[in-house]
Amino acid sequence: FELNGTKQYGTNASVGAWNVVTVSLPNMTPADGFLMVLIPHDAPGFNVDESWWRPTGMRACVSPKIVLKDLFVPDRDILQGPGFYPKSKLGARWHLGFSASHLGAAQGMLDFAIDYLPKRGTAGNPHSQRAIGEMTMRIAAARNMVYQAAALWQAKKIAEAEQYSLMAKLYAISTAEWMINETIRIVGSTALLETFPLNRMMRDIH
């Protein structure tokens, strides 16, 4: 195959010895022509633009832009035949990864609030206690959805697992985003100073 094109979000492309790249074959439907190939970092025509990655969040993740120009891929470097990835439903399993990421972010904000409120002297405030209770409830619900989705994958109930994983992801995202406003409401504006980790948590969630 000869590859030409641009890929945004080439995760770890600037440091990986090999990169998994997905491409679309011409004259085929998107699902049937979905091909996965392996490309070594020093392959002629493999160009990484590190300056492109300037996010407001996710600074621990590096996902530069990849530009492919007349890049040749031999048959031996084809990871899977056309159509394997969408037909195997592997992409649906990524929903659980995003779910876990947002779930962890929400839990981190709750842990921060529980540690910070006694220092602020408002841990006994009824509004603070109600907020902590609701935070705990929503995070527990999100965590249970992630566990249920994982159990469905283990049981090989593919269609249900795919649907439940998407629901778990969306609920974990909404929980993490809700946590931002609720946490600020009870901890106060001083906690947003850069001496505390809260501003970084908010940035990474967005």
Side-chain angles (χ1 to χ4, degrees):
F1 291 92
E2 184 179 272
L3 307 183
N4 285 281
T6 301
K7 170 72 171 74
Q8 277 80 23
Y9 301 103
T11 303
N12 294 326
S14 56
V15 295
W18 287 80
N19 291 271
V20 178
V21 178
T22 59
V23 299
S24 296
L25 298 181
N27 304 317
M28 297 182 71
T29 64
D32 292 332
F34 194 103
L35 186 71
M36 302 176 73
V37 300
L38 288 166
I39 302 176
H41 71 93
D42 57 353
F46 184 80
N47 305 291
V48 178
D49 181 4
E50 297 184 54
S51 67
W52 181 83
W53 183 245
R54 290 292 182 271
T56 57
M58 292 179 65
R59 306 228 178 142
C61 175
V62 179
S63 293
K65 179 167 68 173
I66 300 173
V67 179
L68 308 176
K69 178 64 176 174
D70 300 330
L71 190 148
F72 177 73
V73 176
D75 289 345
R76 67 175 181 271
D77 291 339
I78 297 173
L79 186 59
Q80 286 288 351
F84 168 79
Y85 187 80
K87 292 175 183 177
S88 64
K89 305 293 185 181
L90 287 175
R93 300 176 191 233
W94 285 108
H95 293 316
L96 281 184
F98 287 110
S99 302
S101 178
H102 284 83
L103 177 60
Q107 183 67 56
M109 297 189 81
L110 174 60
D111 293 344
F112 171 80
I114 291 174
D115 178 70
Y116 183 81
L117 288 175
K119 300 172 183 176
R120 189 178 186 231
T122 56
N125 181 286
H127 174 65
S128 298
Q129 292 183 349
R130 178 211 56 79
I132 293 295
E134 187 172 357
M135 289 175 177
T136 303
M137 177 190 71
R138 291 190 185 218
I139 291 172
R143 180 172 287 108
N144 286 336
M145 291 188 74
V146 173
Y147 288 170
Q148 177 62 24
L152 288 169
W153 283 112
Q154 279 193 318
K156 301 189 184 305
K157 297 180 179 179
I158 306 301
E160 292 178 70
E162 186 176 19
Q163 183 182 35
Y164 214 92
S165 296
L166 180 57
M167 292 193 297
K169 181 183 77 170
L170 294 177
Y171 189 75
I173 289 173
S174 66
T175 298
E177 292 178 339
W178 174 86
M179 282 288 298
I180 292 175
N181 288 333
E182 194 69 7
T183 302
I184 293 172
R185 188 174 291 115
I186 62 171
V187 299
S189 58
T190 303
L192 293 175
L193 295 176
E194 290 187 355
T195 51
F196 299 104
L198 186 58
N199 73 93
R200 188 177 72 250
M201 294 178 182
M202 293 167 49
R203 181 194 70 200
D204 289 347
I205 288 174
H206 285 309

